[in-house]
Amino acid sequence: MPRQGLGHSSVDIYNMVTPGTDDPIWRHPGAGQLMMGYQQTRSNFVLFSQDATDTEAWSKTNTAIDSTLYEAPDGSDTANAIKSNNTGERTYSLKQENLSVTAGKTYTLSVHLKKENLGFAQVRFDDGSVQYRSHFNLTTGAMTNAAQLISNSIDAMDDGWFRCSITFQAQNTSNGNAICIAQSAAGDSTPNVAVSGIVLIYAWGWQLEENSEMSAYIVTTNSARTTTETLNDTSETWDFDSADLMPEADPDDDGVWEVPANVVLNGDYEELGSEEVTNGDFNNGGTTWSVYSDPTFENSSVIFTNGARIYKSVVSASSLIYKIVIDFSNISGDGVQILVGNGNSFVNYSVSDIVNNNNQIVAYSSFVGSSLLFIYSLSTNTSATITNVSVKQVDPNDRWTLGTGWSIEDGKAVAVATDTAGFSITQSNVLTSGVPYEITFTVSERTAGSVRFRAALVSGTTRSANGTYTEIITPAGSDFALQGLSSFVGKIDNVTVREYAIQPQDV
């Protein structure tokens, strides 16, 4: 309850009670008037929010920020240009580290961006285990490749600027990183910058706030900054935004409808565990790696010739599923072979396989019988330079229980000939029996069978084709399951389960 009763005008008249943060206050701005206002505090946790030249706050990868400033969205000459300082690299980024977040709290990261020689950007917050991200088209204003988010937004501004934001619920308490990566296309990890020193994109006005949506920008310097302001209502009908409290005639905005949270966790199957490989970037040469046929370690890479191979123990729980990523700067000849575990699980990758996948191998596997990862040259004709090896556990927080025939690969739940009740992918104790829910999921690459939602004795509609499906169901139990039927073969993605509420257009 607010600390002031209805009609109490003590703040302005008697100065008897000082309102607390986010308490309503009563004011009398004119004779015979008594109006209610609202005090709200907001904080921006990013340091030097429009000065990326500060080397203590900001770090760069293959980029440079020079002292030349450019016109910002507010008309001042305070915007920074993110320039390339290297060519042929996979990542051109600007990052601020040590931004503290608390598990279970909701945050919004926003930044103003404008294209120059590259027209796309990825905005990301990385808490060390989970990446919350979205890709933004700085020409059309489109948003793609969202992961681990509650929502994302892009607002067009004057002179080609966009304010881009991501909203997420922190899954870990940690010091995380706010990152912006310049790209030539959404999801493209090889921007193909041919000239060093050119402007890739412009950036201005970073903000990380504990909020379910982005708010007005707060400029910071060498510390986080908090502002307190009085907000007034602009709606005579609705008050869903918790700020509009003073009605006025002919409002322009009738508020917003709050979207319930997704009760299913890791619904996009993108969660990955921490890095399992030590010295996977070869910064310490061949330290911790075992070798055969004398590969060469130099310039933070390993060079294969004459049938060389490297291997090492990389995981502690060999029965779990891991995502394996191997990056190459060049490769020619007959390709490489990857073996995991006891050596019975191996795959050959040709040069064209690797080149066509942006000079990268991406594989998913358990390490049955052994914790070893082997990388072999297929023959003495192979010549390759490997720049990084990464192994991370898939679904590290065990959000999903996988029934027979199910796995998680490439950001999707994958089913192979699943059938009947025991062949389900499940999350336990996420639903409330008798409460209606709106359920959405996407089926792709389906070649056989069907899939449906099920909770206790309540089943959803059977789906037998690719597509995105939405239905409203009142479950009779607490467990959420997607069940394969008739030897279902296909993939599931983007699962959302939200408590159903009547929307304004339904009234």
Side-chain angles (χ1 to χ4, degrees):
M1 287 290 293
R3 284 183 283 274
Q4 301 181 85
L6 181 65
H8 196 306
S9 58
S10 61
V11 172
D12 284 333
I13 299 176
Y14 303 110
N15 196 26
M16 293 171 57
V17 179
T18 300
T21 298
D22 299 331
D23 272 357
I25 60 174
W26 293 92
R27 305 181 299 156
H28 59 101
Q33 294 180 314
L34 187 65
M35 297 184 178
M36 188 167 74
Y38 190 81
Q39 285 191 323
Q40 182 189 58
T41 59
R42 301 182 297 109
S43 298
N44 183 3
F45 303 121
V46 174
L47 308 185
F48 294 97
S49 60
Q50 56 191 47
D51 181 12
T53 63
D54 185 87
T55 57
E56 292 187 8
W58 295 100
S59 61
K60 297 91 179 173
T61 300
N62 300 316
T63 59
I65 309 293
D66 62 24
S67 58
T68 303
L69 297 176
Y70 300 84
E71 186 174 358
D74 66 350
S76 64
D77 289 333
T78 54
N80 294 125
I82 300 178
K83 296 183 176 181
S84 63
N85 72 346
N86 209 344
T87 59
E89 297 291 344
R90 296 180 62 246
T91 301
Y92 295 83
S93 68
L94 175 65
K95 176 171 70 174
Q96 183 161 144
E97 301 176 336
N98 299 318
L99 294 169
S100 178
V101 295
T102 302
K105 292 188 175 182
T106 299
Y107 297 87
T108 295
L109 172 65
S110 59
V111 61
H112 301 72
L113 298 172
K114 179 181 177 180
K115 72 173 184 177
E116 184 57 42
N117 283 284
L118 295 183
F120 293 78
Q122 177 188 156
V123 176
R124 186 172 85 201
F125 190 88
D126 188 338
D127 69 11
S129 297
V130 180
Q131 291 183 357
Y132 316 90
R133 70 170 189 268
S134 179
H135 295 203
F136 298 90
N137 185 324
L138 302 182
T139 301
T140 67
M143 301 181 294
T144 57
N145 297 72
Q148 303 296 333
L149 300 183
I150 297 173
S151 63
N152 53 357
S153 70
I154 183 167
D155 290 347
M157 308 179 76
D158 292 338
D159 196 29
W161 283 95
F162 291 91
R163 191 179 186 193
C164 306
S165 78
I166 58 173
T167 299
F168 59 93
Q169 185 181 57
Q171 298 179 30
N172 301 285
T173 298
S174 66
N175 288 330
N177 308 321
I179 304 171
C180 176
I181 303 174
Q183 297 181 323
S184 56
D188 188 352
S189 60
T190 54
N192 193 27
V193 175
V195 180
S196 179
I198 66 170
V199 177
L200 306 178
I201 59 176
Y202 300 96
W204 180 83
W206 287 78
Q207 184 153 297
L208 176 68
E209 55 190 304
E210 187 183 335
N211 205 341
S212 60
E213 60 185 358
M214 67 179 179
S215 64
Y217 167 57
I218 304 169
V219 63
T220 67
T221 53
N222 61 349
S223 63
R225 183 181 169 202
T226 299
T227 65
T228 301
E229 58 189 28
T230 299
L231 304 177
N232 293 321
D233 197 277
T234 57
S235 169
E236 61 182 4
T237 307
W238 302 102
D239 182 27
F240 295 131
D241 57 8
S242 300
D244 296 332
L245 299 173
M246 186 173 67
E248 66 178 24
D250 301 321
D252 295 325
D253 181 3
D254 280 337
V256 295
W257 192 269
E258 182 178 355
V259 178
N262 185 8
V263 300
V264 166
L265 300 176
N266 196 20
D268 59 4
Y269 306 102
E270 293 283 359
E271 284 185 15
L272 296 174
S274 57
E275 182 59 63
E276 301 281 347
V277 181
T278 56
N279 195 30
D281 57 7
F282 307 106
N283 282 339
N284 295 320
T287 303
T288 75
W289 288 92
S290 298
V291 302
Y292 176 80
S293 193
D294 297 329
T296 302
F297 294 90
E298 61 180 43
N299 298 326
S300 297
S301 63
V302 57
I303 301 171
F304 278 18
T305 54
N306 299 319
R309 69 185 66 170
I310 60 175
Y311 63 96
K312 70 178 302 181
S313 176
V314 294
V315 300
S316 56
S318 59
S319 62
L320 303 174
I321 299 174
Y322 293 86
K323 181 179 181 179
I324 303 167
V325 180
I326 303 172
D327 295 314
F328 296 78
S329 62
N330 61 72
I331 185 169
S332 61
D334 293 326
V336 298
Q337 183 181 84
I338 307 302
L339 293 85
V340 296
N342 59 15
N344 293 326
S345 176
F346 63 89
V347 179
N348 294 340
Y349 293 88
S350 68
V351 171
S352 61
D353 291 334
I354 297 169
V355 171
N356 291 337
N357 194 46
N358 292 325
N359 283 340
Q360 191 176 71
I361 289 174
V362 179
Y364 293 81
S365 179
S366 59
F367 285 70
V368 177
S370 170
S371 63
L372 293 173
L373 170 67
F374 299 82
I375 307 173
Y376 287 14
S377 298
L378 275 176
S379 74
T380 57
N381 293 326
T382 296
S383 177
T385 301
I386 300 174
T387 57
N388 194 65
V389 179
S390 172
V391 177
K392 296 181 179 180
Q393 183 188 340
V394 172
D395 194 35
N397 298 301
D398 297 322
R399 311 291 193 192
W400 294 97
T401 300
L402 305 178
T404 303
W406 287 93
S407 63
I408 297 176
E409 300 179 12
D410 197 24
K412 295 179 175 63
V414 181
V416 180
T418 60
D419 199 6
T420 70
F423 296 79
S424 300
I425 183 169
T426 307
Q427 286 198 21
S428 300
N429 300 317
V430 297
L431 307 177
T432 301
S433 181
V435 173
Y437 290 88
E438 182 179 78
I439 299 167
T440 300
F441 60 92
T442 298
V443 180
S444 63
E445 300 182 47
R446 177 240 170 231
T447 58
S450 306
V451 66
R452 68 181 179 186
F453 158 82
R454 187 170 175 83
L457 300 178
V458 177
S459 298
T461 304
T462 299
R463 309 296 182 178
S464 303
N466 293 329
T468 298
Y469 301 100
T470 299
E471 55 191 297
I472 299 168
I473 290 179
T474 302
S478 62
D479 294 349
F480 171 85
L482 289 169
Q483 182 184 77
L485 303 170
S486 304
S487 298
F488 173 61
V489 177
K491 297 182 178 181
I492 303 295
D493 197 7
N494 299 323
V495 180
T496 61
V497 180
R498 307 181 192 275
E499 287 191 30
Y500 179 70
I502 298 175
Q503 300 293 306
Q505 61 266 30
D506 295 331
V507 176

